[in-house]
Structures are given as structure tokens and as C-alpha cells.
Amino acid sequence: MTTEHVLTELQDRVCTIRMNRLDKKNALTTAMYEGITAALLKAEADPEARVILLAGSNDCFTSGNDLADFLQNPPQGDDSAVARFMRTLATARKPVVAAVNGIAVGVGTTLLLHCDLVYAGEKTRFHLPFVNIGICPEFASTYILPRLMGHQKAAELCLLAEPFDAATAREAGLVNAVLPNDQSEAKAREAALKLAAQPPNALRTSKALLKRWREDLVVDAIRIEADKFIPMLGMPEAREAMGAFMQKRKPDFSKFS
């Protein structure tokens, strides 16, 4: 399943899926979404893979969507590459561990809500910039975030849409632990190996029960958010925000009501 920008490795019953587009800060393209989804599905079906580990590099987890690719290939409906990725990760039966370093922007932060254990480097910067670019949050984050950290904190992170550090992410319940950058992936792998040594059926059943009470709501939230998100990509606010980003200028929202 290894491709140029998505690397996979199965070792000691841990399947590592690594984003590998470092020259673009691991910005996600349609092809990368397809590659990660295929790797997740293969790991789910492989009895030798008991745990999935998501990682980037020591300098970058992911800067979110590649804006040029995203605008050229916008998600359209439930069968888009983005939608398939979201459903696959949100409903994964096997434990998913994430090692986060550098930057985790947009979906780089919201995907962590669907992992079971998350370990972050102390210099990691998280960001939920959706409102800044004229769109709404995705990946069931509008459902999960308020229940994880309370409405006010979720509103602060989503509506003010300012970057926040790893300590804030830990306090908000987004990550399990914060470590020196050069130790976070090792800690994530250590946790993955411990999970891989557990009785596999008991592990999968326990995870299923932990997520059972919200699974239908999460899948529904992903769809409802997409129903808003996709049309917003073509609206004037998003066009102004993304045009300003491309032109390296400050967007002007004063004319909108």
C-alpha cells in the first residue's frame, strides 16, 4: 500500500501509516486521502495488524488540505475521497494511535478525535482555521468537541480559530500526553506495542463498546457537516478567504452580512 506520499509498514503487529509529503508540510491531496483510506482498510482486514499508528514526521503531522488540490477536486457527496477517509477512520474496529508533531491544521486536528490514543510533541501547534477561510468545521468535530471540552472551549477554538499549543490540547482532552518532540513517536509506538500485546478480541470489543453510544451520531454528524461544508466552498466568503490566501494578503469580510 506504500505510495510516494503515504508510507505503510507492518512490524510487531503494528501497522504504521505515515504521511510523507514533507516539501508541502504533508498537505493532503485527494490521492493521499485515497492512499490512507486504502491502508486503513488493509490494516483492518489483516489479522497480523492489531493496531494502527498514524504519523507524519518529527517536524510536521499535516498542514491540512492542499488548498489548490482541494479547490480543483472539491469533495462531492458521500463517495468522495475525503468522505470515505472520514467514515473509514471513524468506524475503524482496531485501535488507532497517533503521533503528532510540528503542525496539525484543520483535518490534522479533527482526525485526532477519532483516534484512541494521541501523543503530541511539546512544540506541536494545532489549528482549527475553518471559520477563517469561510467554511465550517468537519469530521464530526462540531459534535465531539463540545462534549469533550465543553461548549465555551470548543467555541473558542472553532470560532476565534487561533492556533493553540500542545499543553492546551492536553488540557482540552485532545491528546493523552505531551512529550519532547523527538520522543512523541517513540511513546506512541510504545503504547501501540502494548495494545498489540493485548488479547485482540477483547481489545476490539472494548473499543467498540467505548464508541458504540456515539457511533451513529458521529457518522450522522460527518454527513450533516458535509451538507453545509461543501456548498460553502463556492460561496463568496470562502472565495475571498482562499483568494486572499493564494495572493498572500489579508482577507476582507467587511462587505458580507
Side-chain angles (χ1 to χ4, degrees), residues 178-255:
V178 177
L179 302 104
N181 270 37
D182 60 354
Q183 296 177 26
S184 57
E185 185 170 333
K187 178 64 176 178
R189 180 165 294 280
E190 177 187 337
L193 290 170
K194 287 182 179 179
L195 291 174
Q198 297 280 54
N201 181 59
L203 201 65
R204 291 192 301 271
T205 301
S206 297
K207 169 173 176 168
L209 288 169
L210 286 169
K211 300 189 77 172
R212 168 66 184 87
W213 317 111
R214 72 178 196 186
E215 183 174 341
D216 292 343
L217 290 169
V218 165
V219 172
D220 199 34
I222 291 173
R223 178 189 57 78
I224 292 171
E225 288 169 346
D227 287 345
K228 301 290 186 182
F229 181 101
I230 293 170
M232 290 178 79
L233 289 171
M235 291 182 179
E237 289 181 353
R239 290 202 301 268
E240 165 62 18
M242 295 181 194
F245 178 83
M246 295 290 193
Q247 298 162 21
K248 298 182 178 180
R249 62 173 174 83
K250 184 177 180 179
D252 178 10
F253 300 119
S254 62
K255 60 188 174 184

Side-chain angles (χ1 to χ4, degrees), residues 3 5-6 19 21 24 26-36 62 64-70 73 81-82 85:
T3 65
H5 295 142
V6 179
M19 293 169 281
R21 196 185 178 214
K24 298 295 185 179
N26 286 338
L28 294 167
T29 62
T30 300
M32 289 176 71
Y33 276 118
E34 291 171 344
I36 296 169
T62 171
N65 289 309
D66 181 300
L67 197 55
D69 180 86
F70 199 67
N73 303 289
V82 176
F85 161 74

